mmCIF file of all heavy atoms in Angstrom:
data_model
loop_
_atom_site.group_PDB
_atom_site.id
_atom_site.type_symbol
_atom_site.label_atom_id
_atom_site.label_comp_id
_atom_site.label_asym_id
_atom_site.label_seq_id
_atom_site.Cartn_x
_atom_site.Cartn_y
_atom_site.Cartn_z
ATOM 1 N N GLY A 123 -5.774 -3.336 -7.774
ATOM 2 C CA GLY A 123 -5.498 -2.167 -8.586
ATOM 3 C C GLY A 123 -6.279 -2.197 -9.885
ATOM 4 O O GLY A 123 -6.863 -3.211 -10.265
ATOM 5 N N GLY A 124 -6.291 -1.067 -10.565
ATOM 6 C CA GLY A 124 -6.995 -0.989 -11.820
ATOM 7 C C GLY A 124 -7.204 0.434 -12.269
ATOM 8 O O GLY A 124 -6.590 1.369 -11.749
ATOM 9 N N LEU A 125 -8.077 0.593 -13.239
ATOM 10 C CA LEU A 125 -8.415 1.890 -13.803
ATOM 11 C C LEU A 125 -9.735 2.367 -13.226
ATOM 12 O O LEU A 125 -10.724 1.623 -13.222
ATOM 13 C CB LEU A 125 -8.504 1.794 -15.323
ATOM 14 C CG LEU A 125 -8.968 3.033 -16.075
ATOM 15 C CD1 LEU A 125 -7.970 4.171 -15.913
ATOM 16 C CD2 LEU A 125 -9.181 2.700 -17.545
ATOM 17 N N VAL A 126 -9.742 3.599 -12.754
ATOM 18 C CA VAL A 126 -10.947 4.169 -12.167
ATOM 19 C C VAL A 126 -11.039 5.641 -12.550
ATOM 20 O O VAL A 126 -10.024 6.308 -12.754
ATOM 21 C CB VAL A 126 -10.948 3.996 -10.633
ATOM 22 C CG1 VAL A 126 -9.807 4.782 -9.997
ATOM 23 C CG2 VAL A 126 -12.286 4.382 -10.039
ATOM 24 N N GLN A 127 -12.257 6.136 -12.670
ATOM 25 C CA GLN A 127 -12.459 7.543 -12.985
ATOM 26 C C GLN A 127 -12.255 8.418 -11.757
ATOM 27 O O GLN A 127 -12.406 7.956 -10.620
ATOM 28 C CB GLN A 127 -13.864 7.760 -13.541
ATOM 29 C CG GLN A 127 -14.104 7.109 -14.889
ATOM 30 C CD GLN A 127 -15.451 7.468 -15.477
ATOM 31 O OE1 GLN A 127 -16.289 8.075 -14.820
ATOM 32 N NE2 GLN A 127 -15.659 7.106 -16.728
ATOM 33 N N PRO A 128 -11.892 9.680 -11.961
ATOM 34 C CA PRO A 128 -11.788 10.590 -10.820
ATOM 35 C C PRO A 128 -13.063 10.594 -9.995
ATOM 36 O O PRO A 128 -14.172 10.596 -10.531
ATOM 37 C CB PRO A 128 -11.546 11.949 -11.478
ATOM 38 C CG PRO A 128 -10.878 11.614 -12.773
ATOM 39 C CD PRO A 128 -11.526 10.333 -13.228
ATOM 40 N N GLY A 129 -12.881 10.591 -8.681
ATOM 41 C CA GLY A 129 -14.010 10.523 -7.775
ATOM 42 C C GLY A 129 -14.427 9.118 -7.415
ATOM 43 O O GLY A 129 -15.253 8.934 -6.507
ATOM 44 N N GLY A 130 -13.866 8.149 -8.093
ATOM 45 C CA GLY A 130 -14.196 6.766 -7.836
ATOM 46 C C GLY A 130 -13.447 6.201 -6.654
ATOM 47 O O GLY A 130 -12.742 6.905 -5.932
ATOM 48 N N ALA A 131 -13.587 4.899 -6.468
ATOM 49 C CA ALA A 131 -12.991 4.229 -5.323
ATOM 50 C C ALA A 131 -12.403 2.891 -5.720
ATOM 51 O O ALA A 131 -12.882 2.231 -6.641
ATOM 52 C CB ALA A 131 -14.028 4.028 -4.218
ATOM 53 N N LEU A 132 -11.366 2.510 -5.021
ATOM 54 C CA LEU A 132 -10.754 1.203 -5.156
ATOM 55 C C LEU A 132 -10.358 0.703 -3.778
ATOM 56 O O LEU A 132 -10.084 1.498 -2.877
ATOM 57 C CB LEU A 132 -9.503 1.253 -6.039
ATOM 58 C CG LEU A 132 -9.674 1.378 -7.550
ATOM 59 C CD1 LEU A 132 -8.305 1.559 -8.202
ATOM 60 C CD2 LEU A 132 -10.373 0.159 -8.123
ATOM 61 N N ARG A 133 -10.304 -0.608 -3.648
ATOM 62 C CA ARG A 133 -9.831 -1.212 -2.419
ATOM 63 C C ARG A 133 -8.684 -2.144 -2.767
ATOM 64 O O ARG A 133 -8.867 -3.117 -3.507
ATOM 65 C CB ARG A 133 -10.938 -1.977 -1.705
ATOM 66 C CG ARG A 133 -10.538 -2.475 -0.313
ATOM 67 C CD ARG A 133 -11.701 -3.150 0.396
ATOM 68 N NE ARG A 133 -11.370 -3.538 1.761
ATOM 69 C CZ ARG A 133 -11.547 -2.777 2.826
ATOM 70 N NH1 ARG A 133 -12.078 -1.557 2.695
ATOM 71 N NH2 ARG A 133 -11.222 -3.216 4.038
ATOM 72 N N LEU A 134 -7.514 -1.825 -2.243
ATOM 73 C CA LEU A 134 -6.345 -2.657 -2.430
ATOM 74 C C LEU A 134 -6.214 -3.626 -1.269
ATOM 75 O O LEU A 134 -6.544 -3.294 -0.130
ATOM 76 C CB LEU A 134 -5.079 -1.812 -2.520
ATOM 77 C CG LEU A 134 -5.051 -0.704 -3.572
ATOM 78 C CD1 LEU A 134 -3.698 -0.008 -3.563
ATOM 79 C CD2 LEU A 134 -5.367 -1.257 -4.952
ATOM 80 N N SER A 135 -5.714 -4.801 -1.571
ATOM 81 C CA SER A 135 -5.516 -5.799 -0.541
ATOM 82 C C SER A 135 -4.126 -6.389 -0.659
ATOM 83 O O SER A 135 -3.624 -6.609 -1.759
ATOM 84 C CB SER A 135 -6.568 -6.908 -0.650
ATOM 85 O OG SER A 135 -6.430 -7.845 0.400
ATOM 86 N N CYS A 136 -3.515 -6.628 0.467
ATOM 87 C CA CYS A 136 -2.198 -7.242 0.533
ATOM 88 C C CYS A 136 -2.290 -8.484 1.400
ATOM 89 O O CYS A 136 -2.777 -8.419 2.534
ATOM 90 C CB CYS A 136 -1.190 -6.254 1.117
ATOM 91 S SG CYS A 136 0.434 -6.964 1.489
ATOM 92 N N THR A 137 -1.825 -9.588 0.857
ATOM 93 C CA THR A 137 -1.824 -10.843 1.593
ATOM 94 C C THR A 137 -0.390 -11.251 1.900
ATOM 95 O O THR A 137 0.441 -11.338 0.996
ATOM 96 C CB THR A 137 -2.520 -11.950 0.801
ATOM 97 O OG1 THR A 137 -3.875 -11.573 0.539
ATOM 98 C CG2 THR A 137 -2.519 -13.250 1.593
ATOM 99 N N ALA A 138 -0.110 -11.485 3.156
ATOM 100 C CA ALA A 138 1.214 -11.882 3.593
ATOM 101 C C ALA A 138 1.313 -13.399 3.701
ATOM 102 O O ALA A 138 0.330 -14.075 4.020
ATOM 103 C CB ALA A 138 1.550 -11.245 4.934
ATOM 104 N N SER A 139 2.499 -13.913 3.453
ATOM 105 C CA SER A 139 2.713 -15.355 3.467
ATOM 106 C C SER A 139 2.881 -15.917 4.864
ATOM 107 O O SER A 139 2.832 -17.137 5.046
ATOM 108 C CB SER A 139 3.939 -15.703 2.624
ATOM 109 O OG SER A 139 5.108 -15.113 3.167
ATOM 110 N N THR A 140 3.100 -15.057 5.830
ATOM 111 C CA THR A 140 3.272 -15.472 7.212
ATOM 112 C C THR A 140 2.431 -14.589 8.106
ATOM 113 O O THR A 140 1.855 -13.593 7.668
ATOM 114 C CB THR A 140 4.743 -15.391 7.648
ATOM 115 O OG1 THR A 140 5.206 -14.038 7.541
ATOM 116 C CG2 THR A 140 5.622 -16.282 6.787
ATOM 117 N N SER A 141 2.387 -14.929 9.367
ATOM 118 C CA SER A 141 1.664 -14.113 10.334
ATOM 119 C C SER A 141 2.281 -12.725 10.411
ATOM 120 O O SER A 141 3.507 -12.577 10.451
ATOM 121 C CB SER A 141 1.697 -14.774 11.710
ATOM 122 O OG SER A 141 1.063 -16.037 11.698
ATOM 123 N N ILE A 142 1.429 -11.715 10.430
ATOM 124 C CA ILE A 142 1.927 -10.346 10.506
ATOM 125 C C ILE A 142 1.884 -9.794 11.924
ATOM 126 O O ILE A 142 2.494 -8.762 12.211
ATOM 127 C CB ILE A 142 1.161 -9.410 9.554
ATOM 128 C CG1 ILE A 142 -0.332 -9.375 9.906
ATOM 129 C CG2 ILE A 142 1.370 -9.851 8.108
ATOM 130 C CD1 ILE A 142 -1.118 -8.356 9.102
ATOM 131 N N PHE A 143 1.168 -10.457 12.795
ATOM 132 C CA PHE A 143 1.103 -10.041 14.185
ATOM 133 C C PHE A 143 1.776 -11.076 15.064
ATOM 134 O O PHE A 143 1.513 -12.276 14.908
ATOM 135 C CB PHE A 143 -0.348 -9.842 14.622
ATOM 136 C CG PHE A 143 -0.497 -9.348 16.032
ATOM 137 C CD1 PHE A 143 -0.446 -7.998 16.312
ATOM 138 C CD2 PHE A 143 -0.668 -10.243 17.077
ATOM 139 C CE1 PHE A 143 -0.574 -7.537 17.616
ATOM 140 C CE2 PHE A 143 -0.796 -9.799 18.384
ATOM 141 C CZ PHE A 143 -0.748 -8.435 18.653
ATOM 142 N N PRO A 144 2.629 -10.634 15.982
ATOM 143 C CA PRO A 144 3.006 -9.256 16.311
ATOM 144 C C PRO A 144 4.279 -8.784 15.640
ATOM 145 O O PRO A 144 4.824 -7.747 16.017
ATOM 146 C CB PRO A 144 3.202 -9.353 17.821
ATOM 147 C CG PRO A 144 3.838 -10.695 18.008
ATOM 148 C CD PRO A 144 3.186 -11.590 16.982
ATOM 149 N N THR A 145 4.740 -9.490 14.616
ATOM 150 C CA THR A 145 6.091 -9.300 14.096
ATOM 151 C C THR A 145 6.256 -8.048 13.250
ATOM 152 O O THR A 145 7.342 -7.462 13.221
ATOM 153 C CB THR A 145 6.519 -10.521 13.271
ATOM 154 O OG1 THR A 145 6.335 -11.701 14.060
ATOM 155 C CG2 THR A 145 7.975 -10.427 12.851
ATOM 156 N N TYR A 146 5.198 -7.614 12.554
ATOM 157 C CA TYR A 146 5.355 -6.590 11.532
ATOM 158 C C TYR A 146 4.444 -5.386 11.709
ATOM 159 O O TYR A 146 3.260 -5.522 12.022
ATOM 160 C CB TYR A 146 5.078 -7.180 10.144
ATOM 161 C CG TYR A 146 6.030 -8.268 9.737
ATOM 162 C CD1 TYR A 146 5.691 -9.604 9.880
ATOM 163 C CD2 TYR A 146 7.274 -7.946 9.204
ATOM 164 C CE1 TYR A 146 6.571 -10.604 9.504
ATOM 165 C CE2 TYR A 146 8.160 -8.942 8.828
ATOM 166 C CZ TYR A 146 7.801 -10.272 8.982
ATOM 167 O OH TYR A 146 8.679 -11.262 8.603
ATOM 168 N N HIS A 147 5.021 -4.215 11.479
ATOM 169 C CA HIS A 147 4.243 -3.045 11.105
ATOM 170 C C HIS A 147 3.963 -3.170 9.602
ATOM 171 O O HIS A 147 4.779 -3.708 8.858
ATOM 172 C CB HIS A 147 4.991 -1.747 11.371
ATOM 173 C CG HIS A 147 5.270 -1.471 12.817
ATOM 174 N ND1 HIS A 147 4.378 -1.758 13.818
ATOM 175 C CD2 HIS A 147 6.353 -0.914 13.424
ATOM 176 C CE1 HIS A 147 4.900 -1.400 14.989
ATOM 177 N NE2 HIS A 147 6.088 -0.886 14.773
ATOM 178 N N MET A 148 2.841 -2.653 9.162
ATOM 179 C CA MET A 148 2.434 -2.789 7.774
ATOM 180 C C MET A 148 2.103 -1.428 7.179
ATOM 181 O O MET A 148 1.861 -0.454 7.892
ATOM 182 C CB MET A 148 1.212 -3.704 7.652
ATOM 183 C CG MET A 148 1.381 -5.078 8.277
ATOM 184 S SD MET A 148 2.690 -6.062 7.485
ATOM 185 C CE MET A 148 1.987 -6.288 5.846
ATOM 186 N N GLY A 149 2.082 -1.383 5.855
ATOM 187 C CA GLY A 149 1.731 -0.128 5.223
ATOM 188 C C GLY A 149 1.614 -0.227 3.720
ATOM 189 O O GLY A 149 1.772 -1.294 3.124
ATOM 190 N N TRP A 150 1.297 0.911 3.153
ATOM 191 C CA TRP A 150 1.218 1.060 1.707
ATOM 192 C C TRP A 150 2.057 2.259 1.283
ATOM 193 O O TRP A 150 1.981 3.328 1.902
ATOM 194 C CB TRP A 150 -0.228 1.269 1.240
ATOM 195 C CG TRP A 150 -1.079 0.047 1.357
ATOM 196 C CD1 TRP A 150 -1.845 -0.328 2.405
ATOM 197 C CD2 TRP A 150 -1.250 -0.958 0.356
ATOM 198 N NE1 TRP A 150 -2.481 -1.508 2.142
ATOM 199 C CE2 TRP A 150 -2.138 -1.925 0.886
ATOM 200 C CE3 TRP A 150 -0.746 -1.150 -0.928
ATOM 201 C CZ2 TRP A 150 -2.529 -3.056 0.181
ATOM 202 C CZ3 TRP A 150 -1.128 -2.273 -1.640
ATOM 203 C CH2 TRP A 150 -2.011 -3.207 -1.087
ATOM 204 N N TYR A 151 2.854 2.058 0.272
ATOM 205 C CA TYR A 151 3.605 3.110 -0.382
ATOM 206 C C TYR A 151 3.131 3.208 -1.822
ATOM 207 O O TYR A 151 2.459 2.307 -2.334
ATOM 208 C CB TYR A 151 5.110 2.817 -0.355
ATOM 209 C CG TYR A 151 5.810 3.076 0.961
ATOM 210 C CD1 TYR A 151 5.498 2.345 2.095
ATOM 211 C CD2 TYR A 151 6.810 4.046 1.052
ATOM 212 C CE1 TYR A 151 6.154 2.573 3.295
ATOM 213 C CE2 TYR A 151 7.473 4.275 2.243
ATOM 214 C CZ TYR A 151 7.142 3.538 3.361
ATOM 215 O OH TYR A 151 7.806 3.766 4.540
ATOM 216 N N ARG A 152 3.521 4.296 -2.473
ATOM 217 C CA ARG A 152 3.214 4.420 -3.890
ATOM 218 C C ARG A 152 4.338 5.153 -4.592
ATOM 219 O O ARG A 152 5.082 5.920 -3.987
ATOM 220 C CB ARG A 152 1.885 5.138 -4.124
ATOM 221 C CG ARG A 152 1.878 6.617 -3.751
ATOM 222 C CD ARG A 152 0.476 7.190 -3.897
ATOM 223 N NE ARG A 152 0.429 8.605 -3.577
ATOM 224 C CZ ARG A 152 -0.689 9.313 -3.475
ATOM 225 N NH1 ARG A 152 -1.863 8.727 -3.677
ATOM 226 N NH2 ARG A 152 -0.633 10.609 -3.181
ATOM 227 N N GLN A 153 4.447 4.894 -5.881
ATOM 228 C CA GLN A 153 5.453 5.555 -6.690
ATOM 229 C C GLN A 153 4.839 5.957 -8.019
ATOM 230 O O GLN A 153 4.426 5.102 -8.802
ATOM 231 C CB GLN A 153 6.661 4.647 -6.919
ATOM 232 C CG GLN A 153 7.810 5.333 -7.629
ATOM 233 C CD GLN A 153 9.094 4.528 -7.570
ATOM 234 O OE1 GLN A 153 9.078 3.328 -7.344
ATOM 235 N NE2 GLN A 153 10.219 5.196 -7.757
ATOM 236 N N ALA A 154 4.776 7.254 -8.241
ATOM 237 C CA ALA A 154 4.277 7.794 -9.491
ATOM 238 C C ALA A 154 5.433 7.942 -10.469
ATOM 239 O O ALA A 154 6.599 8.019 -10.062
ATOM 240 C CB ALA A 154 3.604 9.144 -9.251
ATOM 241 N N PRO A 155 5.142 7.995 -11.768
ATOM 242 C CA PRO A 155 6.212 8.150 -12.753
ATOM 243 C C PRO A 155 7.080 9.369 -12.477
ATOM 244 O O PRO A 155 6.576 10.472 -12.257
ATOM 245 C CB PRO A 155 5.447 8.296 -14.070
ATOM 246 C CG PRO A 155 4.163 7.580 -13.838
ATOM 247 C CD PRO A 155 3.821 7.862 -12.400
ATOM 248 N N GLY A 156 8.384 9.161 -12.467
ATOM 249 C CA GLY A 156 9.316 10.245 -12.261
ATOM 250 C C GLY A 156 9.453 10.721 -10.836
ATOM 251 O O GLY A 156 10.145 11.715 -10.592
ATOM 252 N N LYS A 157 8.826 10.037 -9.898
ATOM 253 C CA LYS A 157 8.883 10.451 -8.509
ATOM 254 C C LYS A 157 9.391 9.321 -7.625
ATOM 255 O O LYS A 157 9.384 8.158 -8.016
ATOM 256 C CB LYS A 157 7.500 10.907 -8.027
ATOM 257 C CG LYS A 157 6.955 12.121 -8.761
ATOM 258 C CD LYS A 157 5.639 12.576 -8.173
ATOM 259 C CE LYS A 157 5.125 13.816 -8.876
ATOM 260 N NZ LYS A 157 3.840 14.279 -8.298
ATOM 261 N N GLN A 158 9.833 9.688 -6.434
ATOM 262 C CA GLN A 158 10.294 8.699 -5.480
ATOM 263 C C GLN A 158 9.117 7.975 -4.844
ATOM 264 O O GLN A 158 8.002 8.504 -4.775
ATOM 265 C CB GLN A 158 11.127 9.356 -4.378
ATOM 266 C CG GLN A 158 12.451 9.927 -4.831
ATOM 267 C CD GLN A 158 13.330 10.289 -3.659
ATOM 268 O OE1 GLN A 158 13.837 9.412 -2.945
ATOM 269 N NE2 GLN A 158 13.514 11.577 -3.447
ATOM 270 N N ARG A 159 9.392 6.781 -4.388
ATOM 271 C CA ARG A 159 8.386 6.047 -3.650
ATOM 272 C C ARG A 159 8.107 6.773 -2.335
ATOM 273 O O ARG A 159 9.027 7.186 -1.633
ATOM 274 C CB ARG A 159 8.868 4.624 -3.388
ATOM 275 C CG ARG A 159 7.815 3.705 -2.814
ATOM 276 C CD ARG A 159 8.326 2.270 -2.705
ATOM 277 N NE ARG A 159 8.710 1.721 -3.998
ATOM 278 C CZ ARG A 159 9.102 0.468 -4.177
ATOM 279 N NH1 ARG A 159 9.164 -0.378 -3.155
ATOM 280 N NH2 ARG A 159 9.445 0.058 -5.397
ATOM 281 N N GLU A 160 6.836 6.922 -2.011
ATOM 282 C CA GLU A 160 6.457 7.669 -0.829
ATOM 283 C C GLU A 160 5.452 6.883 0.005
ATOM 284 O O GLU A 160 4.638 6.124 -0.529
ATOM 285 C CB GLU A 160 5.844 9.024 -1.215
ATOM 286 C CG GLU A 160 4.560 8.904 -2.015
ATOM 287 C CD GLU A 160 3.935 10.246 -2.345
ATOM 288 O OE1 GLU A 160 4.524 11.284 -1.994
ATOM 289 O OE2 GLU A 160 2.854 10.261 -2.961
ATOM 290 N N PRO A 161 5.496 7.068 1.306
ATOM 291 C CA PRO A 161 4.512 6.397 2.158
ATOM 292 C C PRO A 161 3.138 7.001 1.977
ATOM 293 O O PRO A 161 2.984 8.224 1.882
ATOM 294 C CB PRO A 161 5.045 6.626 3.570
ATOM 295 C CG PRO A 161 5.857 7.877 3.464
ATOM 296 C CD PRO A 161 6.469 7.851 2.094
ATOM 297 N N VAL A 162 2.149 6.149 1.924
ATOM 298 C CA VAL A 162 0.758 6.564 1.811
ATOM 299 C C VAL A 162 0.043 6.403 3.141
ATOM 300 O O VAL A 162 -0.620 7.318 3.623
ATOM 301 C CB VAL A 162 0.028 5.768 0.722
ATOM 302 C CG1 VAL A 162 -1.449 6.148 0.665
ATOM 303 C CG2 VAL A 162 0.690 5.993 -0.633
ATOM 304 N N ALA A 163 0.173 5.229 3.723
ATOM 305 C CA ALA A 163 -0.482 4.938 4.982
ATOM 306 C C ALA A 163 0.265 3.824 5.686
ATOM 307 O O ALA A 163 0.700 2.870 5.051
ATOM 308 C CB ALA A 163 -1.945 4.539 4.771
ATOM 309 N N LEU A 164 0.394 3.953 6.988
ATOM 310 C CA LEU A 164 1.066 2.956 7.797
ATOM 311 C C LEU A 164 0.155 2.538 8.937
ATOM 312 O O LEU A 164 -0.633 3.342 9.443
ATOM 313 C CB LEU A 164 2.379 3.506 8.366
ATOM 314 C CG LEU A 164 3.423 3.974 7.354
ATOM 315 C CD1 LEU A 164 4.583 4.653 8.065
ATOM 316 C CD2 LEU A 164 3.929 2.806 6.520
#
């Protein structure tokens, strides 16, 4: 994560402490100020 200008790009990475296959579905959620956490990608 970080600060980026509009039109820019970022790559987020998540590292799990255990094997994620085949045990887990994975995804990314986000929460903006004053809003509920919402799914971004699964």
